[in-house]
C-alpha cells in the first residue's frame, strides 16, 4: 500500500467493533449437550442440536445470567422483556437452518466502556449486547470433494457485544479489545482466548475527510484471530478505502475477509453476500422476563471490576499507577493483593512482593496464583517483618521467601532466626563496629573528607562484612555518614 | 404483495432449491394465491392488538446448566446421508 502519511492525515478513521464471546457454560445455550472445546468431532451433540423433528430449545439460566453480567459491567440498561428471533440462513454448520439470536430485544442496551489511552481516558459507547448461539465447524480439505462438519460447537452460547462507531485509531481499537477481554475474564463468563476463537472480533471500518459530518460507507471485515490482526486489518482497510476515494471510486458496502498471511482484506464473492436473514420471532422459545429480584441476584454476584479496583488501589492504597495497572491486570492478582492488604498496611511493600518475588516464582514454574503455597496472611507477615527493619528486603526475598515456599507453618521471624539473618539494627551494637572500621581505614577516611565521597560504599561494605550481613543497610549508611561527618 | 419470477428465484436461492422455468411460472401463481388469501387478514383493524408471538403465556421456561441427553457419537451420525467415522459429509460449500 502506498498511502502517504500526509494523505492519511487528511482522513479520519471510524471503527465500530462487534465482539463475540463464547460463554463458559457447562452445557449449550438451548440444549443440554456439553459446551466443550477440543474433544473428538460430533461427540457433544443432541437431538436438539441436530434439529430432529419435534425437538424444542429451552433456555440455559447461565446464559441469561452471563449476558446480564456483561451488560452490568459495561454500564448498560438491562432489557426486561426478552424474546428471541430466528436468523435464517442455509448452511450445513447449522442444521436448523436458522440461528437463535436476539434481534429486537437485546438483553443489554446503551452502555459504555472507558478505555485507557496514552493521552487519557476515552469513553466508547456500547450499542447493544445480545445472546445467540454459535454454529458448528466446517472443514474444507484441499482436494476433497466434500466438506466435513463437526457440530460440537453448534448451539454453544455466545454474547455479541456491539460498540458504537466511536473508535478513531487502531490504538483505541486495541485498548477497547483489551478491556473487553479483561472484563469477560473478571466476570468468568468467557476465557477470552482469541487464538482459540472463544473471543472473536469483526470490525466495521470506514473513513471520511477530517471535519466531515457524515460517515463514509462502511466495510465489515471478518476473520481476525488476534488483537494484532484486528489492528493490521484496520490499517490495511483504511489505506484501501483512501486509495479508492482518492482515485474517484466508491467504497462498496460489503463484507471482506482478512488474510493473516498477506495482511490484506479480500472481498467475498457477491453470491455469498446475497444474504437475507428474514428475521422473525422464534416461537419455540418462551420469552425471558428479567424481574427485579432476579436482577438484584445477578448484581450482587458481580465481582469487583478492574477499573473500580484500579481506583481503589491508587486512591485508597496510594499505589503508583504502574503497580495498580499490573495488579488489576487479572482478577486473581488483584484479589490476592486485596487479601494480603487485610493483614498489613504496608501497601506499597505488599505490591512489591507480589509484582516481584511472587510473580517471578509463578512465572518460572508456570503456575497460577491459586497454586501459590504461601497464604496471604503469611505474605503480609513477611512484608511487615521487612518493614520493621529486622531483615533487608534482599535477605527476605532471597533467603526467607524460598523457605516459606516449602514450609507453610513457620513464621518469617522463626525462619529468619533459624537462618541467623536478623539485622542488628540498633545503634549501640553498630556504632562500635563502625568506629572500628573507620579507624582501620583512617587513610580512606581522610580521602573521603577531601571529597572522595564514593568511598562511603567501602565503609558500609566493611561493616556488613564484619556483621556477616546482618546490619541494616539503611541504618548503617546513616550511621557511617554521621560518624564520618563528626 | 406482488410475486413475480424474481421473487421466486430469490426465495429459491435462499432455500437452495432449483426450479425449471415452467415450475417457476407455476410457483408465481401459487404464491400469489397464498399471499392474496393472507391479505384478507389485513382487513381487520389490529391497531390496539399486541403482536402475538407465542401461543402459550408461559414465561421464563429455563433449565439448569447441566450436561445431559447427549447422543452417542454413532447414533448421532446414524441418520446422515453421508458420513465418515468422525464427521458429517456434505457437498463442498466453498470452492
Amino acid at each position: 500500500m502506498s498511502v502517504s502519511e500526509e494523505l492519511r492525515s487528511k482522513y479520519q478513521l471510524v471503527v465500530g467493533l462487534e465482539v463475540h464471546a463464547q460463554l463458559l457454560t457447562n452445557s449449550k445455550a438451548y440444549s443440554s449437550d456439553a459446551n466443550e472445546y477440543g474433544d473428538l468431532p460430533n461427540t457433544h451433540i443432541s437431538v436438539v442440536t441436530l434439529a430432529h423433528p419435534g425437538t424444542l430449545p429451552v433456555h440455559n439460566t447461565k446464559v441469561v445470567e452471563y449476558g446480564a453480567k456483561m451488560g452490568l459491567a459495561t454500564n448498560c440498561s438491562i432489557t426486561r422483556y426478552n424474546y428471541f428471533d430466528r436468523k435464517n440462513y442455509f448452511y450445513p454448520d447449522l442444521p436448523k437452518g436458522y440461528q437463535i439470536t436476539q434481534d429486537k430485544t437485546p438483553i443489554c442496551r446503551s452502555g459504555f466502556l472507558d478505555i485507557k489511552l496514552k493521552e487519557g481516558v476515552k469513553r466508547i459507547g456500547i450499542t447493544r449486547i445480545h445472546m445467540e448461539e454459535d454454529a458448528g465447524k466446517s472443514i474444507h480439505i484441499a482436494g476433497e470433494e466434500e466438506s466435513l462438519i463437526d457440530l460440537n460447537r453448534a448451539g454453544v452460547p455466545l454474547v455479541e457485544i456491539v460498540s458504537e462507531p466511536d473508535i478513531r485509531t487502531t490504538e483505541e481499537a486495541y485498548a477497547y479489545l483489551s478491556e473487553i477481554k479483561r472484563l469477560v475474564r473478571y466476570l468468568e463468563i468467557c476465557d477470552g482466548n482469541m487464538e482459540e476463537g472463544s473471543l472473536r472480533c469483526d470490525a466495521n471500518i470506514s473513513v471520511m475527510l477530517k471535519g466531515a459530518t457524515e460517515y463514509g460507507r462502511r466495510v465489515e471485515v471478518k476473520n481476525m484471530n488476534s488483537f494484532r490482526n484486528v489492528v493490521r486489518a484496520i490499517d490495511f482497510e483504511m489505506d484501501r478505502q483512501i486509495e479508492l476515494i482518492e482515485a474517484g471510486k466508491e467504497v462498496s458496502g460489503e463484507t471482506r475477509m482478512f488474510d493473516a498471511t498477506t495482511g490484506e482484506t479480500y472481498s467475498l464473492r457477491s453470491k455469498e453476500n446475497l444474504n437475507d436473514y428474514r428475521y422473525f420471532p422464534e416461537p419455540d422459545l418462551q420469552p425471558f422476563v428479567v424481574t427485579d429480584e432476579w436482577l438484584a441476584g445477578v448484581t450482587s454476584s458481580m465481582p469487583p471490576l478492574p477499573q473500580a479496583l484500579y481506583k481503589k488501589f491508587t486512591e485508597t492504597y496510594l499505589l503508583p499507577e504502574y503497580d495498580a495497572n499490573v495488579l488489576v491486570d487479572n482478577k486473581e492478582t488483584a484479589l490476592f493483593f486485596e487479601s494480603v492488604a487485610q493483614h498489613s498496611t504496608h501497601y506499597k511493600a505488599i505490591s512489591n512482593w507480589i509484582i516481584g518475588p511472587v510473580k517471578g516464582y509463578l512465572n518460572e514454574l508456570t503456575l497460577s496464583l491459586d497454586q501459590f503455597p504461601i497464604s496471604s496472611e503469611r505474605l503480609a507477615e513477611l512484608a511487615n517483618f521487612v518493614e520493621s527493619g529486622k531483615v533487608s528486603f534482599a535477605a527476605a526475598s532471597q533467603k526467607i521467601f524460598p523457605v516459606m515456599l516449602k514450609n507453610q507453618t513457620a513464621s518469617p521471624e522463626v525462619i529468619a532466626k533459624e537462618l541467623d539473618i536478623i539485622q542488628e539494627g540498633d545503634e549501640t551494637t553498630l556504632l562500635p563496629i563502625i568506629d572500628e572500621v573507620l579507624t582501620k581505614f583512617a587513610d580512606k577516611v581522610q580521602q573521603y573528607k577531601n571529597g572522595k565521597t564514593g568511598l562511603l560504599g567501602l565503609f558500609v561494605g566493611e561493616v556488613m562484612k564484619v556483621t556477616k550481613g546482618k546490619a541494616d543497610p539503611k541504618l548503617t549508611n546513616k550511621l557511617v555518614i554521621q560518624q564520618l561527618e563528626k | 404483495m406482488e410475486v413475480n419470477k424474481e421473487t421466486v428465484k430469490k426465495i429459491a436461492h435462499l432455500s437452495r432449491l432449483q426450479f425449471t422455468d415452467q415450475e417457476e411460472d407455476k410457483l408465481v401463481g401459487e404464491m400469489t394465491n397464498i399471499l392474496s388469501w393472507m391479505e384478507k387478514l389485513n382487513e381487520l383493524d389490529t391497531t390496539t392488538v399486541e403482536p402475538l408471538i407465542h401461543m402459550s403465556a408461559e414465561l421464563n421456561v429455563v433449565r439448569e446448566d447441566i450436561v445431559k441427553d447427549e447422543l452417542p457419537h454413532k447414533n448421532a451420525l446414524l441418520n446422515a446421508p453421508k458420513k465418515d467415522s468422525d464427521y458429517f459429509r456434505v457437498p463442498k460449500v466453498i470452492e
Side-chain angles (χ1 to χ4, degrees), chain B residues 1-2 32-44:
Chain B
M1 185 190 160
E2 198 210 328
T32 307
N33 280 342
I34 294 167
L35 287 175
S36 325
W37 185 68
M38 296 299 284
E39 297 258 303
K40 187 87 189 145
L41 290 172
N42 287 343
E43 291 170 19
L44 281 171

Side-chain angles (χ1 to χ4, degrees), chain A residues 88-242:
Chain A
N88 296 281
Y89 70 93
F90 198 89
Y91 204 78
D93 60 13
L94 200 57
K96 293 196 296 297
Y98 55 85
Q99 177 192 36
I100 299 177
T101 182
Q102 287 190 294
D103 182 39
K104 296 284 190 311
T105 59
I107 180 137
C108 316
R109 276 188 254 231
S110 326
F112 63 84
L113 199 57
D114 286 336
I115 57 169
K116 207 177 274 175
L117 304 166
K118 275 190 230 110
E119 59 273 19
V121 170
K122 176 168 174 174
R123 182 158 290 185
I124 306 292
I126 305 280
T127 316
R128 55 184 280 158
I129 302 173
H130 64 261
M131 302 174 267
E132 59 185 30
E133 58 178 336
D134 211 342
K137 208 187 304 177
S138 318
I139 301 157
H140 316 290
I141 300 168
E144 273 279 352
E145 272 177 35
E146 289 161 338
S147 293
L148 310 179
I149 306 292
D150 172 12
L151 295 175
N152 282 352
R153 201 181 60 188
V156 161
L158 304 172
V159 286
E160 180 175 342
I161 305 151
V162 183
S163 88
E164 289 288 310
D166 289 345
I167 294 164
R168 293 287 176 271
T169 65
T170 49
E171 188 206 354
E172 290 176 20
Y174 196 95
Y176 173 83
L177 287 174
S178 306
E179 192 55 37
I180 293 274
K181 178 176 169 173
R182 191 164 72 164
L183 275 182
V184 297
R185 286 188 169 172
Y186 261 77
L187 296 169
E188 293 179 52
I189 63 172
C190 169
D191 66 23
N193 190 329
M194 232 178 146
E195 282 73 17
E196 279 177 12
S198 41
L199 202 64
R200 300 196 282 267
C201 176
D202 301 337
N204 290 307
I205 305 164
S206 67
V207 297
M208 61 182 180
L209 281 172
K210 276 190 180 153
T213 47
E214 217 167 291
Y215 292 151
R217 190 170 293 150
R218 70 188 166 97
V219 170
E220 183 178 12
V221 182
K222 292 175 179 281
N223 202 34
M224 290 87 73
N225 67 346
S226 69
F227 286 10
R228 202 174 80 84
N229 281 339
V230 173
V231 168
R232 288 171 74 203
I234 294 173
D235 267 332
F236 175 84
E237 197 51 33
M238 180 176 184
D239 286 356
R240 190 186 70 87
Q241 294 182 16
I242 292 174

Side-chain angles (χ1 to χ4, degrees), chain A residues 26-28 31-32 34 42 44-45 59-61 90 141 144 146-147 149 276 282 285-287 289, chain B residues 10 16 53-54 56 58 60 62-63 65 67-68 70-71 73 76 82 86-90 92-93:
Chain A
N26 298 320
S27 62
K28 291 185 180 175
S31 56
S32 53
N42 296 308
H44 299 301
I45 49 184
H59 293 289
N60 178 343
T61 46
F90 198 89
I141 300 168
E144 273 279 352
E146 289 161 338
S147 293
I149 306 292
D276 175 355
E282 161 64 292
L285 257 185
Q286 297 307 126
V289 173
Chain B
K10 187 183 167 202
R16 306 297 186 266
I53 295 171
H54 299 92
S56 99
E58 297 267 351
N60 297 13
V62 297
R63 62 180 176 81
D65 182 24
V67 176
K68 56 179 183 184
E70 281 191 346
L71 284 171
H73 177 72
K82 271 205 150 180
D86 290 322
Y87 294 96
F88 295 95
R89 284 180 164 259
V90 298
K92 195 147 199 169
V93 272

Side-chain angles (χ1 to χ4, degrees), chain A residues 4 13-14 42 69 75 106 110 119 142 160 170 174 193 195 203 209 216 229 273 277 293 378 396 403 418 431 466:
Chain A
S4 66
L13 172 73
V14 177
N42 296 308
K69 275 187 166 175
N75 315 287
S110 326
E119 59 273 19
E160 180 175 342
T170 49
Y174 196 95
N193 190 329
E195 282 73 17
L209 281 172
N229 281 339
N273 281 326
Y277 294 127
E293 194 192 354
R378 277 272 189 256
V403 176
E418 267 170 29
L431 277 176
V466 174

